[in-house]
Amino acid sequence: MDTTSGSTSRMDTTHADRRGPFWDVLAGRAAPPPAAQLLGWELVHVDPAQGAIEVAFQAGEQFLNPAGVVQGGFLAAMLDDTLGPALVATLREDQFAPTLDLHVQFLRPARPGRLTGRGRVVKRGKEICFLSGELHSADDTLLAVATATARVQTIR
Amino acid sequence: MDTTSGSTSRMDTTHADRRGPFWDVLAGRAAPPPAAQLLGWELVHVDPAQGAIEVAFQAGEQFLNPAGVVQGGFLAAMLDDTLGPALVATLREDQFAPTLDLHVQFLRPARPGRLTGRGRVVKRGKEICFLSGELHSADDTLLAVATATARVQTIR
């Protein structure tokens, strides 16, 4: 994990002057979006220069399937909220980047508790960006991997 | 949509004697799993002989992303809870079928409200099954499409 200048955790203020939906939430100028709140989303570390992010989620009992493990779709939601922010953290204030597609492989069942997502921008095109990432359990077991494609758009 | 005998909606009792997690929920013998409750899952129609299902979801405000539309991951969760049940409805009581992988393409933004999922078993192998499906808005606009792979397992 890169901890040189340019990287940001909740504790430092390197990017305190940056604006946009992602940075406004981090700086407390805006509430986290409802989907992020529902997933217990929390920033652990972000490095916009590298297009890399680490986030945490709280997998609650409300995400369980009939087998008593987290329904795969909610792991997909967490991975979407890992890969997306890895890219969003690199955008200008007047840009956003909807996900075009998302592919998730479910390697192991996930129990309720804290899960960690690590995401990165694999290739940053002018418009089309390729993303990848993983979801780990609290004991760092690899639970699921994902790739996604997103398209950078300028607002107005 | 096949409406001949063998198909089941919430209103009829053709399969009232069937057992297993899926049928127990439909017959009121078991509570819907938490993940299904959170998504507002509701059966519209199921045809186990055809491996086809139609379900509905309630996309609430709690699923919204910073752009004010449903976060793609929650559409993925809904599609997982469409494709999975299409297969689960065909299983014996002592079987279940975890999803191995899920691929979702997000065609259009989804607003909060009632969404409809249609899923089917494309190929039913002895163990490995290929699934596909779509998510539509209340006015039947196609919002997202998905494919998934699942593995049928026997309990104990």
Side-chain angles (χ1 to χ4, degrees):
Chain A
M1 174 80 37
D2 176 20
T3 52
T4 58
S5 71
S7 66
T8 295
S9 74
R10 293 186 83 178
M11 299 303 150
D12 68 48
T13 53
T14 317
H15 298 279
D17 56 338
R18 290 195 62 168
R19 299 278 163 167
F22 180 84
W23 301 102
D24 289 348
V25 168
L26 289 197
R29 291 187 296 267
Q37 290 188 46
L38 182 57
L39 296 172
W41 190 97
E42 182 191 316
L43 180 70
V44 177
H45 182 90
V46 63
D47 184 341
Q50 295 291 320
I53 203 167
E54 181 171 331
V55 294
F57 301 95
Q58 198 60 40
E61 304 282 337
Q62 75 272 34
F63 300 155
L64 299 188
N65 71 12
V69 297
V70 179
Q71 195 242 34
F74 288 96
L75 301 180
M78 291 176 191
L79 282 158
D80 188 36
D81 228 351
T82 300
L83 277 56
L87 176 60
V88 168
T90 72
L91 298 183
R92 296 197 314 261
E93 190 180 351
D94 63 344
Q95 293 178 317
F96 70 114
T99 306
L100 302 181
D101 82 336
L102 176 70
H103 181 230
V104 182
Q105 293 174 310
F106 304 101
L107 309 185
R108 290 181 187 84
R111 309 282 163 193
R114 185 181 169 91
L115 304 181
T116 300
R118 297 187 189 108
R120 68 203 63 84
V121 181
V122 174
K123 178 174 180 286
R124 173 73 153 90
K126 197 168 158 189
E127 274 202 341
I128 302 300
C129 301
F130 299 96
L131 315 172
S132 76
E134 308 84 33
L135 205 59
H136 289 81
S137 67
D139 66 358
D140 218 32
T141 303
L142 183 60
L143 301 175
V145 298
T147 57
T149 317
R151 180 176 170 226
V152 176
Q153 294 182 300
T154 300
I155 301 163
R156 275 179 292 261
Chain B
M1 174 76 42
D2 177 19
T3 53
T4 59
S5 71
S7 66
T8 296
S9 74
R10 292 186 85 178
M11 298 304 150
D12 68 47
T13 53
T14 317
H15 299 279
D17 56 338
R18 291 195 61 167
R19 300 277 163 167
F22 180 82
W23 301 102
D24 289 348
V25 167
L26 289 197
R29 291 186 296 266
Q37 289 187 46
L38 183 58
L39 297 172
W41 190 97
E42 182 190 317
L43 180 69
V44 177
H45 183 90
V46 62
D47 184 341
Q50 295 291 321
I53 202 166
E54 182 171 331
V55 295
F57 301 95
Q58 197 59 42
E61 304 282 335
Q62 76 272 34
F63 300 154
L64 299 188
N65 71 14
V69 298
V70 180
Q71 196 242 34
F74 288 96
L75 301 180
M78 292 177 191
L79 282 158
D80 188 35
D81 228 349
T82 300
L83 277 56
L87 176 60
V88 168
T90 72
L91 299 183
R92 296 196 314 259
E93 189 180 352
D94 64 343
Q95 294 178 316
F96 72 112
T99 305
L100 302 181
D101 82 337
L102 176 70
H103 182 230
V104 182
Q105 294 173 310
F106 304 101
L107 309 186
R108 290 180 187 84
R111 309 282 164 192
R114 184 180 170 90
L115 304 180
T116 300
R118 298 188 188 107
R120 67 202 65 84
V121 181
V122 174
K123 178 173 180 288
R124 172 73 154 90
K126 198 168 157 186
E127 274 202 342
I128 301 300
C129 300
F130 299 97
L131 315 171
S132 78
E134 307 84 33
L135 204 59
H136 289 81
S137 67
D139 66 358
D140 218 33
T141 303
L142 182 62
L143 301 175
V145 297
T147 56
T149 316
R151 180 177 170 225
V152 176
Q153 294 183 298
T154 301
I155 301 163
R156 275 182 295 259

